[in-house]
Amino acid sequence: MKKSITVLCSNLKGNLGDFAIAEAIAVAAQRYLGACSINLYYHANKPVDSSRLAALLAETSLEFKQIKPAPYYRRPIWLRWLNRLGISNGAYNKWHNRQIERVAALIQADEDFFKTAMSSDLVIFAGGAQWGRGDLNLNMFAQLRAVGSRRKGVYAFPFSVSEATEICNGRLGVKQLFSSLCQPIYVRDGISYACLQASGVEAELVCDSVFSLLHAFQVSWSLDALGDACSDRVYVS
C-alpha cells in the first residue's frame, strides 16, 4: 500500500526555487518511503503560478494526489493596527501568539484539511524563506500548532528565518512554537541558524534542499544540436 505524505506551507506563487523545493520534498519522500501519494498544500493568500505548476506536473513522475490551498486567516484588524502603531514588541508578541492558538483551533475544525494531515504517514513543512511575520507567520505557526499538538513526527525541510520572526513572536514564543517540529531543525543559512540559536531552538546548518535533486535528473545538452537560432550562452544564477 502506498504511503501518503502531506506537505504544508508550500509557496507556489511564482518563485521557481519554491517549485523545486516542492519537488525535492516529494523525491526525498519517495526515496525513503517508496511509492507515495502527495497532498500538497500551499499558502492561500497568493494565486498559484499556473504555468510553472503545469510544467512541474508535466515533467514529474511523482503522484500528486491533490494540490490545494490550506485554510488561511488574517489577523484581526485591531491587531494589524497595533502592529502599524509600533507598540512595544512584548505586548504585540503576546497578542499575536494568542491569535495563533485561536487560528489553530479553527484549522483543527476544518475537517478536510485536518483529517488529511492526521491520516498521512508523514507531515512535512516546506522549506524556503518561510515563517516571516504578520499573517504568514500566524497561519504557518497555527498549522504547526494544530497538527503538531495531535500527532508526533512533524518535520520541516531546510528553511530560512530572520529576526522578523523573533520580533513578531518574541524569543520565548519562537522556542515554544517551534517545539512542535522534530528537532534539530534544519536551516539553510547562517542568519537563520543564529536566530534560532538565540531563541534556544536546536538547529543544524545544512545546504538548501534543492541540491538533493542533483541525482534525480539525467540531463545534458549538445550545443551543436541546438541549431543556429539558439544562443550558446548559458546564464546561471
Side-chain angles (χ1 to χ4, degrees), residues 25-223:
I25 294 172
V27 167
Q30 191 153 281
R31 182 183 302 146
Y32 291 106
L33 300 177
C36 296
S37 62
I38 302 119
N39 304 295
L40 183 66
Y41 285 97
Y42 58 85
H43 300 302
N45 63 319
K46 300 289 185 180
V48 173
D49 185 325
S50 56
S51 297
R52 284 198 168 103
L53 179 59
L56 169 65
L57 295 177
E59 294 175 8
T60 187
S61 60
L62 300 162
E63 180 189 339
F64 288 92
K65 184 178 180 180
Q66 57 180 354
I67 300 174
K68 60 196 301 185
Y72 195 89
Y73 299 89
R74 295 208 68 192
R75 291 165 296 165
I77 191 168
W78 61 266
L79 186 59
R80 299 201 299 272
W81 275 108
L82 287 177
N83 191 23
R84 292 171 186 168
L85 290 172
I87 65 168
S88 71
N89 287 340
Y92 182 82
N93 299 157
K94 179 180 71 174
W95 291 107
H96 182 93
N97 293 342
R98 285 184 181 179
Q99 289 300 313
I100 290 173
E101 294 295 329
R102 180 185 70 86
V103 172
L106 294 173
I107 289 173
Q108 287 181 340
D110 187 307
E111 186 173 344
D112 177 69
F113 173 84
F114 194 63
K115 183 178 179 180
T116 297
M118 296 304 294
S119 62
S120 295
D121 295 290
L122 184 63
V123 176
I124 304 175
F125 276 78
Q130 299 277 42
W131 307 100
R133 60 184 180 181
D135 290 340
L136 178 64
N137 177 293
L138 170 71
N139 283 275
M140 290 191 67
F141 277 121
Q143 288 182 44
L144 175 58
R145 178 67 178 155
V147 177
S149 65
R150 296 288 184 90
R151 64 169 290 155
K152 294 181 179 179
V154 179
Y155 297 85
F157 255 52
F159 61 80
S160 295
V161 65
S162 71
E163 291 180 353
T165 302
E166 180 188 319
I167 293 171
C168 186
N169 306 104
R171 283 187 175 178
L172 180 59
V174 168
K175 183 175 183 179
Q176 291 174 338
L177 290 165
F178 274 126
S179 65
S180 295
L181 275 182
C182 289
Q183 298 189 20
I185 293 172
Y186 298 108
V187 292
R188 61 183 191 170
D189 61 86
I191 292 175
S192 303
Y193 179 77
C195 286
L196 292 185
Q197 289 289 96
S199 295
V201 178
E202 185 183 355
E204 188 170 327
L205 183 59
V206 298
C207 66
D208 197 312
S209 58
V210 296
F211 292 105
S212 68
L213 292 173
L214 176 64
H215 301 295
F217 304 98
Q218 300 297 326
V219 179
S220 62
W221 294 274
S222 171
L223 294 180

